[in-house]
Amino acid sequence: MSLEGRKINFAAGPAKLPEEVLLKMQEEQLNFNGLGVSVIEMSHRSKEFGVLLNETISLIRELMNVPDNFEILFMQGGGTGQFAAIPLNLKGNHDHADYIVTGAWSSKAAEEAEKYIKVKKVFQPSKPYVTVPDQEKWVHDEKAAYLYYCANETVHGIEFTPTAPESHNVPLVADVSSNFMARPFDFKDHGVVFGGAQKNLGAAGLTIVIVRKDLIGKQQAITPAVFSYKEMIANNSLYNTPPTGGIYTTNLVLKWIKSKGGLQAIYELNLQKSGLIYGIIDNSNGFYHCAVDKRYRSIMNVCFRIGGPSGNEDLEAEFLKGAADRNMISLKGHRSVGGIRASLYNAITLEETQVLATWMNEFQKAHSA
């Protein structure tokens, strides 16, 4: 298959997959491993699919250095489904849970959780979301069921770096949907780490949930079986038909990550890519403006305005048209914030990022004159 006609896809998710993965999927689509059927036609109860499933679990454990006291689950419902599943599974005898709200997704998570547990926010969120308040000012409760945070806010471009928040002796719950395997991850103090696969690890439809074993079995009586960590673990993620094609796609992406040198190598490349774009923004004399506190700038989702802090919509529309003419798509910012958003997920190459950087420099030069 020729890759001619492929766009440079800066979408926030579903997002670009590595070309090597897409070509392998095409090669095996009609006949997986000589079985005469496609993966998406195979029974999820078959021995052959079981091998694929267990290999995918092993790859996640290897690449992320997942400790032995954690289980790895393949679920459905997306990250949004976990907004409900987490309080349903972790409430136990606790009255409430603590939430860190730093953007749109952690805000949605807190709102959904309120249906199943009392939610306390460790600080009063303020809009626009541009930073993470100093932890010394947070109000924690060591009686909380857990402390929830979103590791990377896709909409606003805010990322917890370089470390997770302090746990204050309760399990941390991390939504890593948009920086899953973008950098090495420290499981210290964490109870649950979860994310949808459609940004960095594969196709839409698969949700990966990594759960500490001592937290399993505390689900509320109303917890649906498909959202129950206990049920899913007891059935090796096969309580119901899983997204077989999604698991296969993630398997290939994980092998691709491993072939690139693992998470440290991926992380170093991601720093190069994001540094290239942030460097242009910071040296543009205000032509490009990123409002996010530099301490918490996302290396995955670079959000900025053109023409000043509030943005000039005419300039931004012109920039997006020029980008499209240069084969770049999906650079428009989220509808709730506007502006430009370049999502530099693992599959985006340094060369593709350079195409964007070149256009940014050209566009500024043309309008600065």
Side-chain angles (χ1 to χ4, degrees):
M1 172 187 173
S2 170
L3 295 174
E4 185 178 351
R6 290 273 296 167
K7 303 289 186 182
I8 303 175
N9 182 10
F10 291 102
K16 182 193 174 186
L17 286 168
E19 279 82 3
E20 299 96 317
V21 168
L22 292 171
L23 289 170
K24 186 67 173 176
M25 291 172 67
Q26 183 193 45
E27 176 189 329
E28 296 184 330
Q29 192 62 250
L30 294 177
N31 188 354
F32 174 69
N33 276 358
L35 296 173
V37 294
S38 170
V39 168
I40 59 176
E41 299 174 300
M42 289 170 59
S43 167
H44 61 292
R45 306 286 181 189
S46 67
K47 179 180 72 174
E48 292 81 6
F49 184 77
V51 170
L52 176 69
L53 176 74
N54 291 327
E55 180 187 47
T56 309
I57 292 171
S58 295
L59 283 165
I60 293 171
R61 192 173 295 279
E62 175 188 351
L63 287 167
M64 288 190 76
N65 290 317
V66 179
D68 291 339
N69 63 324
F70 281 80
E71 298 279 3
I72 299 170
L73 306 179
F74 295 144
M75 301 180 72
Q76 297 175 68
T80 303
Q82 291 303 306
F83 296 170
I86 285 157
L88 283 168
N89 280 277
L90 302 188
K91 182 179 184 297
N93 296 321
H94 298 275
D95 173 63
H96 69 279
D98 282 352
Y99 274 71
I100 301 168
V101 176
T102 53
W105 291 111
S106 51
S107 177
K108 289 178 184 291
E111 183 180 354
E112 181 71 8
E114 286 177 339
K115 299 174 183 177
Y116 310 105
I117 195 171
K118 182 179 179 181
V119 167
K120 290 185 179 180
K121 298 173 183 176
V122 298
F123 57 81
Q124 186 58 43
S126 61
K127 297 181 181 180
Y129 297 113
V130 294
T131 191
V132 178
D134 293 338
Q135 296 193 38
E136 294 78 14
K137 300 177 182 178
W138 298 3
V139 179
H140 292 276
D141 190 333
E142 293 190 2
K143 294 181 180 180
Y146 55 86
L147 175 61
Y148 181 103
Y149 74 104
C150 180
N152 186 75
E153 290 281 2
T154 320
V155 171
H156 296 91
I158 298 170
E159 185 173 15
F160 273 91
T161 58
T163 59
E166 295 177 16
S167 69
H168 288 261
N169 300 317
V170 301
L172 288 174
V173 173
D175 175 359
V176 298
S177 292
S178 54
N179 63 355
F180 222 150
M181 295 207 191
R183 59 169 72 229
F185 189 86
D186 186 356
F187 281 86
K188 180 178 179 291
D189 297 328
H190 284 80
V192 179
V193 178
F194 74 92
Q198 70 274 12
K199 301 175 187 295
N200 256 343
L201 290 183
L206 174 65
T207 311
I208 301 168
V209 185
I210 306 173
V211 189
R212 210 171 68 200
K213 291 179 180 179
D214 64 293
L215 298 176
I216 297 163
K218 298 182 178 183
Q219 69 277 359
Q220 299 184 43
I222 61 169
T223 306
V226 292
F227 274 173
S228 167
Y229 299 157
K230 182 180 179 181
E231 290 284 2
M232 296 304 286
I233 288 165
N235 290 275
N236 195 30
S237 296
L238 298 175
Y239 177 85
N240 63 321
T241 306
T244 53
I247 292 169
Y248 164 68
T249 305
T250 291
N251 179 281
L252 294 180
V253 173
L254 293 169
K255 289 175 178 174
W256 175 83
I257 291 174
K258 187 174 180 178
S259 76
K260 296 298 180 181
L263 298 195
Q264 185 60 39
I266 290 286
Y267 178 43
E268 290 170 7
L269 183 59
N270 286 334
L271 288 175
Q272 278 187 268
K273 293 184 297 183
S274 58
L276 179 61
I277 303 304
Y278 282 126
I280 293 171
I281 293 169
D282 292 342
N283 291 292
S284 69
N285 294 317
F287 183 74
Y288 297 114
H289 179 80
C290 175
V292 178
D293 185 335
K294 289 184 179 181
R295 296 173 299 169
Y296 299 106
R297 282 178 170 178
S298 171
I299 63 171
M300 292 284 94
N301 309 103
V302 180
C303 301
F304 60 96
R305 301 304 301 255
I306 303 178
S310 299
N312 180 314
E313 292 186 0
D314 291 335
L315 279 178
E316 289 168 350
E318 184 182 344
F319 178 86
L320 291 170
K321 182 181 183 303
D325 291 341
R326 290 159 177 78
N327 217 32
M328 293 177 280
I329 63 170
S330 301
L331 282 164
K332 189 174 182 179
H334 190 272
R335 60 188 180 277
S336 66
V337 296
I340 310 297
R341 175 174 57 179
S343 294
L344 306 176
Y345 297 129
N346 292 350
I348 294 289
T349 67
L350 184 58
E351 292 73 21
E352 289 172 328
T353 310
Q354 185 63 61
V355 174
L356 173 59
T358 299
W359 171 229
M360 290 175 69
N361 284 326
E362 289 177 1
F363 190 75
Q364 181 186 353
K365 185 177 180 181
H367 288 277
S368 294

